[in-house]
Amino acid sequence: MTRPLAELDDARPALLGSSLNDLLGRWLPRQRWYADSGCRITDISVAAATALTPECFHLLVRVNVAGEQDVNYYQLILGAAVDPPPRLWKHALGQVDGPSGGTLVVYDAVHDHRVAILLLDRLRQGGATGTLRFESLPRASVPTGLAPRVLDVEQTNTSIVYGDRLILKLFRRVQRGVNPDLEVTARLARWGHTSVPEPTAWFFMTEPFLGTLGMVQPYLAGATDGWELALHSASTQGDFIKQAWGLGRTTGELHAALAQVFPTRSPAGHHPARLAEEMMCRLKRTADAVPALRPHVPAIQGIFADAAATHSDLSLQRIHGDLHLGQVLWADEGWHVVDFEGEPSQPLAERRADRSPIRDIVGMLRSFDYAAHMGPTPRPEWADQCRTAFCSGYSGAGGFEPTGAPELLRAYEADRAVYEVLYEATHRPDWMTVPLKAVARLADSR
Ligand SMILES: Nc1ncnc2c1ncn2[C@@H]1O[C@H](COP(=O)(O)OP(=O)(O)O)[C@@H](O)[C@H]1O
Ligand SMILES: [Mg+2]
């Protein structure tokens, strides 16, 4: 039988005590969304705790790792019970001493249906619970009685789907300020842009700083993500021209909408020469770390020098920031774009900064290239077709013409491939040939 914490005297100190820190020290680094894997944790502490039920706490956990000055904060919802329901055992962190002798099993309560339902109830009702604040659109109607399930996909955060109607994204790594995913999608939707699901409810914390914790959006039931569709097409001799054209169109319209709802900046002070300097710097750092890149360095430097010599009057603006085939969903005969958090490893200020829309464009072009190299037979011609179609769809949206600035496009693409080389060298060495080949191809095309 599950005994609530309240019955075990005041269990709060037990849950927040040093033994919980030990459990967290072992459990956190094994989570997909944990940002500092590979670095030794030097300190873990609970920065804020709010009881959601007598046996379930919302926690903000502060983590220091060796060699990093910045600390990271993570959002956890933990349950602690003498005997939790069996289906929660596989989400257990371990056991801690209870306050009056016995032991309590601590588990990741995001997987507890009762807790998932309670979170949605709080979002529907609005108001405060401890340091948490829940809000929703005045016209939002959040239905009751929807069965929750935790989404089982590779993701940086944790999402709960309710009855195929709603999706609640819980931001695992919490940073000061409004999360760009909420900020951008709310503004676009309010303006009437339809390629992003509109956030209808959200919650945030007020202590120890103001930070977005989660948001609810309509769930696009039956959607297929762009990566799956592209892989299928590339590996079955299919073509993806119509879809890539549509993706280009959607991206162009998205950029146009972003330029309407957020201020844009003239590129003055961000001259291509300065940009090229930053790219050169990244190239040097990567070549120092990855010997396989070194033979390509002179050619890539040439690509960056070509870009530095161009004149661009393309404005800087808010962009998606991490656009690739895994962030787009095909549903109801159209493309939808999700996950406006930007590059999760970057600080919030960086992710909210104005950028060139070319960054998003090359994000998608590189994603086509990856998809073309995943099957047993690489299909570079498939990626070429996608690229042409995407660029044509993009210019059809009425804004910038990507192929009209080939030097800049090539430089951004090479810079992105260099970033990927470092990423693959660190995380997936077997995949490093994909960006390396791209670097060589870009160098040849000059
Ligand atoms: N509104 C939605 N409807 C259907 N599926 C969604 C929706 N939003 C996200 N997803 C699915 O969840 C996955 C993860 O969402 P995402 O916002 O990218 O989270 P993360 O930041 O964790 O990557 C997406 O790749 C997509 O498959
Ligand atoms: Mg994502």
Side-chain angles (χ1 to χ4, degrees), residues 110-180:
V110 166
H111 297 271
D112 186 339
H113 292 167
R114 298 164 303 182
V115 172
I117 289 168
L118 182 134
L119 272 179
L120 195 64
D121 284 344
R122 289 277 199 283
L123 284 156
R124 181 185 304 106
Q125 290 152 6
T129 304
T131 59
L132 310 179
R133 298 288 178 276
F134 298 86
E135 293 180 352
S136 61
L137 289 180
R139 61 186 155 79
S141 92
V142 178
T144 52
L146 301 175
R149 66 183 164 93
V150 174
L151 199 65
D152 186 21
V153 299
E154 272 290 329
Q155 67 170 136
T156 321
N157 296 286
T158 302
S159 297
I160 306 175
V161 176
Y162 294 88
D164 279 357
R165 294 276 301 277
L166 301 172
I167 180 164
L168 165 62
K169 177 167 172 177
L170 297 168
F171 298 107
R172 285 300 198 163
R173 197 170 145 221
V174 182
Q175 298 198 44
R176 206 174 291 271
V178 58
N179 188 296

Side-chain angles (χ1 to χ4, degrees), residues 154-156 169 322 324 326-327 338-339:
E154 272 290 329
Q155 67 170 136
T156 321
K169 177 167 172 177
D322 189 24
H324 54 77
Q327 311 275 40
V338 296
D339 199 358

Side-chain angles (χ1 to χ4, degrees), residues 266-340:
S266 88
H270 205 82
H271 190 268
R274 222 188 92 201
L275 185 78
E277 219 171 274
E278 286 169 25
M279 292 177 173
M280 295 270 192
C281 182
R282 255 191 303 275
L283 172 63
K284 186 176 174 314
R285 276 205 313 268
T286 309
D288 285 346
V290 188
L293 187 64
R294 289 179 203 157
H296 304 292
V297 167
I300 310 172
Q301 281 173 330
I303 291 175
F304 294 161
D306 291 348
T310 62
H311 172 78
S312 166
D313 52 8
L314 184 62
S315 297
L316 304 183
Q317 62 163 94
R318 292 296 292 269
I319 61 169
H320 181 280
D322 189 24
L323 194 64
H324 54 77
L325 284 161
Q327 311 275 40
V328 292
L329 297 165
W330 177 261
D332 307 324
E333 298 298 303
W335 285 110
H336 300 261
V337 188
V338 296
D339 199 358
F340 285 75

